[in-house]
Amino acid sequence: MTDMLRTRRLGLLLPSSNSTQEPEFSDVLPRDVSLHTARLTLNSIDAESTVRIVEELETESRKLADADVGVILLAATAPTSRKGLGYDKELLGRIQDATGKPAATASTAMLEAFAVLNIQRVALAAPWSESVNQTVASFIQANGVQVVSQRAMGVVRNNDVGRLSPDTAFALACEADRSEADAVFLACGNWWAMSRVEALERKLGKPVLTTNQVSIWAALRLLGQSTPLSGWGSLLSGMAEKG
């Protein structure tokens, strides 16, 4: 009977090869929020694939709207930043126009989190290629936040990203961090990173953000969340104060 307590519904659009977001979201979401997913075709994290993935955006968004979700979230950083300044909001608008539902994207959520936490300089770490990382860095800088350091592991096949240990996120965050960085951002929604956020914040002494963490935060705000979520870093534990 506890399932009847799930009174809020989150619709998640994720890459078809993503194996991380559903379990990671389920670990974090409050008990009254149910998760409903649809998939957009993507197997490799490359320039062509991150553009082509949104060809199915309206079709899959409408399927989520059929479940009467309260918000539709496209939680993929590379695809939502691929074409530069304003592209995230363009995609957000396409979801809203197709469904009439509130929407969020990972890149929009990232920028909103930067603003709420007053982050002006960030260190960027990701499992994908240096070229994809540079595209994301350029998007961040076009939106007024300086990227002071960036590191990429060079993993292109998304299934391989989903098999990386969370320890890779911890190690790369430490490598990317700089004293002048206000925060570290761990990009890629298929990277098991959230379980290492609190340990990283203790070690580095600054906020550590991930694609899934900022995406969950943004979606919950649209669902009216006002209760802090502990165990996943300062952004979620401070929701009430920063909401």
Side-chain angles (χ1 to χ4, degrees):
M1 299 298 289
T2 56
D3 290 341
M4 296 300 293
L5 300 176
R6 297 181 186 271
T7 56
R8 297 182 289 172
R9 299 175 183 175
L10 192 163
L12 173 63
L13 294 163
L14 71 165
S16 57
S17 53
N18 189 299
S19 57
T20 299
Q21 284 184 322
E22 287 155 318
E24 200 161 70
F25 272 57
S26 295
D27 284 345
V28 177
L29 290 175
R31 286 292 299 162
D32 69 328
V33 178
S34 58
L35 181 66
H36 309 271
T37 63
R39 291 181 177 265
L40 307 172
T41 302
L42 181 140
N43 290 301
S44 296
I45 312 171
D46 56 63
E48 182 180 352
S49 297
T50 54
V51 170
R52 195 171 57 242
I53 186 175
V54 298
E55 292 175 357
E56 304 166 347
L57 190 61
E58 284 83 0
T59 299
E60 297 305 315
S61 294
R62 291 188 188 104
K63 292 177 183 178
L64 289 174
D66 287 344
D68 197 22
V69 295
V71 62
I72 296 176
L73 168 66
L74 176 54
T77 305
T80 57
S81 62
R82 183 68 186 89
K83 293 187 178 182
L85 184 67
Y87 187 57
D88 59 315
K89 293 183 174 60
E90 176 186 329
L91 297 177
L92 189 154
R94 284 175 56 184
I95 297 170
Q96 291 176 328
D97 290 345
T99 65
K101 298 288 185 179
T105 80
S107 292
T108 312
M110 173 188 68
L111 297 174
E112 290 174 350
F114 288 168
V116 165
L117 297 175
N118 194 29
I119 295 167
Q120 300 177 2
R121 296 171 297 277
V122 67
L124 174 65
W128 49 44
S129 68
E130 291 186 5
S131 62
V132 171
N133 217 38
Q134 183 54 55
T135 298
V136 174
S138 297
F139 174 85
I140 292 171
Q141 297 199 140
N143 281 277
V145 176
Q146 182 183 359
V147 178
V148 298
S149 172
Q150 55 178 300
R151 291 289 185 274
M153 295 179 64
V155 182
V156 175
R157 188 169 177 268
N158 202 31
N159 260 312
D160 293 337
V161 173
R163 292 186 173 94
L164 293 172
S165 165
D167 292 339
T168 62
F170 187 95
L172 202 63
C174 293
E175 183 181 332
D177 185 38
R178 295 291 182 273
S179 59
E180 65 269 28
D182 300 319
V184 176
F185 184 69
L186 302 176
C188 185
N190 203 26
W191 199 14
W192 291 96
M194 282 192 68
S195 65
R196 299 296 186 266
V197 167
E198 292 224 321
L200 280 166
E201 290 191 337
R202 289 192 297 270
K203 180 178 177 63
L204 303 179
K206 63 187 64 176
V208 175
L209 308 176
T210 82
T211 290
N212 290 346
Q213 177 208 53
V214 299
S215 297
I216 290 169
W217 172 79
L220 288 177
R221 296 213 304 173
L222 289 172
L223 288 172
Q225 179 77 11
S226 60
T227 304
L229 301 179
S230 60
W232 308 102
S234 55
L235 181 69
L236 288 171
S237 67
M239 283 199 73
E241 293 80 4
K242 302 178 179 73

